[in-house]
Amino acid sequence: MDRGGKLFSGAALLLVEDEVEAREMLGRMLSLNYPEAKIYQADDGTAGLEMYREFRPEVVITDLNMPHMNGIAMAREIKEIDRDATIVAVTAHSETSYLLNAIEIGIDHYLLKPVNYPELFRIMERVGEKIKLRRMEQLMMHQAQHDTLTDLPNRKLFLDFLTLELAQARRNRKSLAVLFLDLDHFKQINDTLGHAAGDELLQAVARRLKGCVRESDTVARIGGDEFNVLMPDLSQTDDVGVVVHKIMGVFEAPFRLEGVEVKATTSVGVSMYPEDGDSTEELLKKADAAMYAAKQRDGSSYLFYNDEINERTANRQSILLSLRVAAHNGELELLYQPLYSLGSRCICGAEALLRWRHPQQGVLLPAQFLTVAEETGAIIPIGAWVISRACAQARKWRDLGLDLKLTVNLTSRELQQPDLPEMVLRELSDNGLSPRALELDVPERAIMDGGSLGQKNMHRLTERGVAFAVDDFGTGASSLQRIRRLPVAKLKIDRSFISNTVIEPEALDVVTAVVCMSHSMRLRVSAVGVESPEQLTLMENRGCDEVQGDLISKPLTAAEFERLVVSA
């Protein structure tokens, strides 16, 4: 009985028998042998068919000769509903015609009355094994088509749905929409609260999304913090706008993660059939492009695909393809901008600045291509090239007797590379340089987004003598208290404050406060973007340690920089 109970644990059985005593006896025996099964009973074929439609039992045990609707007719209807339905006939009729009818419609087993219960249970055991196998197959199929965390359709199943609905839309001359959603700052939530909280957020987002779309719509998680929504059978574009507004609305209430209330937002891109494409690939690509454009607005917004986005996407793709071979083709170069010490009143170092001599577009500044490089991962080999080339140049200057510290910029993604310390220390060693010859500048936002790995990399390199500076300080959301806990040696005040110091007292007050607080924490302060003698005087009077900007010199080639230092 233990085996039978396990085989039918959580299963539903339907017993259809018009004779009361026979039905009650069979019901009792089934209940005793399968205590964990739910057993439904009906007294004729009509009632049995209705119960099957409502409860969808795994096994139907039925008499064949019954009033209103006999067992053969009921079985035929059940097989129309589910051709894999398992039906066991228990009957007093042994005529060949009954047996042939049963075989024809797909009744699985045929048992004569009076019921031989050991034989019935042997049949049920075989049926139970078959059901167990079917459940495993269904589970495996479900897992192959659904996201394990949220139980939403995965990318593969979403593409299948989109293919079917697209064909339907063509036939019926209807519209459909594809939505591409990406959570804003998800990595920051993951790094701050942990992966368990990140998983909790994804599950909560999945529930909210399913609750705000139409019944005919499909919500899928396609990976990471990205979701797709398919909206078929649209009569007008306005229907999409209503749903998108609902989606943005479900992010207004905070999410409770690991006992903490967290505000999360999303960026949404929308593409439409037939306006934006006639294939699954094109619609998904354009929804993705629209989402990316929405994210450039600092997130928490949505955009429909349009020609402007198309042009921007094409340009972005062109840049990426060219960027991947730029270093190999010799198109990348480093310029060097002097760092001027206000204490010793001489050039004390240089910041290596990347330039790309694009074969068609001319010289490109980092702002024109680094975002694409960081998002796609192309920044990793480019960053390694920059550090290698900068170290080689620093070695040449040392050989010329120029004792200068060289500064190289790191992006947030580079800071999080597991092999960053090894790569940097290897380049220093290969060029015979002390780690103190190199300073790494990290943007202020990298301090916020860097996570534990980024901080670990900073500590490992600092322990070996490499210094870190916080670039663009004042533009992000970090604080001196947070920076105080990191191995930072210098703050670089963003040029937006320096450019306004002459005309805006508030900007000068910020500089004064940053210098005072930084010095109290034994941090050096550098002013970036000094372009006039007045600004230089103000920075000197406020106690800045270094300045950098066009007043001292614009970025120079290595040879020009050498001549400037030698002649100074």
Side-chain angles (χ1 to χ4, degrees), residues 222-333:
I222 60 169
D225 60 335
E226 296 176 336
F227 296 82
N228 278 153
V229 179
L230 170 60
M231 296 181 60
D233 198 29
L234 296 174
S235 300
Q236 51 189 7
T237 308
D238 290 349
D239 296 342
V240 185
V242 171
V243 174
V244 173
H245 278 292
K246 284 184 180 179
I247 287 174
M248 303 305 292
V250 303
F251 285 87
E252 291 178 0
F255 294 83
R256 192 161 190 82
L257 311 175
E258 299 285 295
V260 178
E261 283 199 349
V262 175
K263 179 69 176 172
T265 58
T266 186
S267 300
V268 184
V270 186
S271 65
M272 301 286 301
Y273 167 82
E275 295 92 332
D276 299 323
D278 190 42
S279 69
T280 57
E281 294 81 4
E282 194 171 8
L283 290 170
L284 282 169
K285 184 175 73 173
K286 290 183 175 178
D288 186 10
M291 181 279 295
Y292 175 80
K295 195 167 277 291
Q296 300 313 296
R297 297 180 166 188
D298 295 327
S300 194
S301 63
Y302 68 91
L303 280 176
F304 283 76
Y305 185 83
N306 56 43
D307 290 339
E308 181 186 347
I309 293 174
N310 180 43
E311 184 178 349
R312 195 183 312 166
T313 303
N315 184 56
R316 182 170 176 262
Q317 190 65 22
S318 173
I319 285 177
L320 176 59
L321 292 173
S322 302
L323 191 56
R324 284 176 173 158
V325 296
H328 178 74
N329 292 345
E331 296 167 11
L332 299 182
E333 69 172 342

Side-chain angles (χ1 to χ4, degrees), residues 148-272:
T148 54
L149 181 65
T150 63
D151 203 40
L152 292 176
N154 60 17
R155 181 181 178 83
K156 181 181 182 303
L157 186 57
F158 183 82
L159 286 171
D160 290 342
F161 285 148
L162 179 54
T163 300
L164 290 172
E165 292 294 351
L166 197 53
Q168 188 80 3
R170 290 190 196 102
R171 282 194 298 271
N172 298 336
R173 299 181 183 276
K174 289 289 188 74
S175 295
L176 65 76
V178 175
L179 279 58
F180 200 116
L181 289 77
D182 183 275
L183 302 187
D184 301 323
H185 312 300
F186 176 71
K187 186 183 181 306
Q188 187 175 329
I189 293 172
N190 240 356
D191 290 342
T192 305
L193 299 179
H195 289 283
D199 289 348
E200 202 175 335
L201 174 60
L202 293 171
Q203 290 169 332
V205 167
R207 287 192 297 271
R208 291 191 187 185
L209 290 177
K210 286 176 68 176
C212 76
V213 300
R214 306 173 307 168
E215 193 172 336
S216 58
D217 298 337
T218 300
V219 179
R221 181 188 175 210
I222 60 169
D225 60 335
E226 296 176 336
F227 296 82
N228 278 153
V229 179
L230 170 60
M231 296 181 60
D233 198 29
L234 296 174
S235 300
Q236 51 189 7
T237 308
D238 290 349
D239 296 342
V240 185
V242 171
V243 174
V244 173
H245 278 292
K246 284 184 180 179
I247 287 174
M248 303 305 292
V250 303
F251 285 87
E252 291 178 0
F255 294 83
R256 192 161 190 82
L257 311 175
E258 299 285 295
V260 178
E261 283 199 349
V262 175
K263 179 69 176 172
T265 58
T266 186
S267 300
V268 184
V270 186
S271 65
M272 301 286 301

Side-chain angles (χ1 to χ4, degrees), residues 448-503:
M448 299 294 292
D449 300 341
S452 59
L453 181 56
Q455 293 180 22
K456 188 181 297 183
N457 284 342
M458 291 177 71
H459 282 287
R460 288 175 63 191
L461 284 166
T462 303
E463 288 166 2
R464 297 294 297 273
V466 177
F468 277 87
V470 177
D471 205 3
D472 306 329
F473 185 76
T475 60
S478 64
S479 68
L480 282 169
Q481 288 302 318
R482 182 166 183 176
I483 289 173
R484 188 178 191 174
R485 297 194 290 270
L486 296 173
V488 172
K490 183 170 76 176
L491 295 185
K492 300 177 72 173
I493 302 176
D494 185 65
R495 64 178 62 247
S496 61
F497 292 100
I498 308 305
S499 63
N500 293 327
T501 50
V502 177
I503 57 174

Side-chain angles (χ1 to χ4, degrees), residues 518-561:
S518 298
H519 284 170
S520 71
M521 293 188 293
R522 299 182 180 179
L523 300 177
R524 291 182 295 118
V525 180
S526 178
V528 179
V530 174
E531 298 177 353
S532 70
E534 293 85 359
Q535 290 172 350
L536 179 63
T537 301
L538 287 172
M539 294 307 103
E540 188 171 16
N541 291 341
R542 290 309 185 274
C544 282
D545 300 289
E546 296 172 5
V547 295
Q548 176 182 348
D550 289 355
L551 178 66
I552 308 302
S553 173
K554 292 185 177 183
L556 304 169
T557 65
E560 291 170 337
F561 182 84

Side-chain angles (χ1 to χ4, degrees), residues 52-66:
Y52 184 86
R53 287 189 174 122
E54 183 175 357
F55 301 112
R56 293 298 173 94
E58 276 83 356
V59 185
V60 178
I61 304 166
T62 182
D63 189 10
L64 294 185
N65 188 21
M66 295 182 293

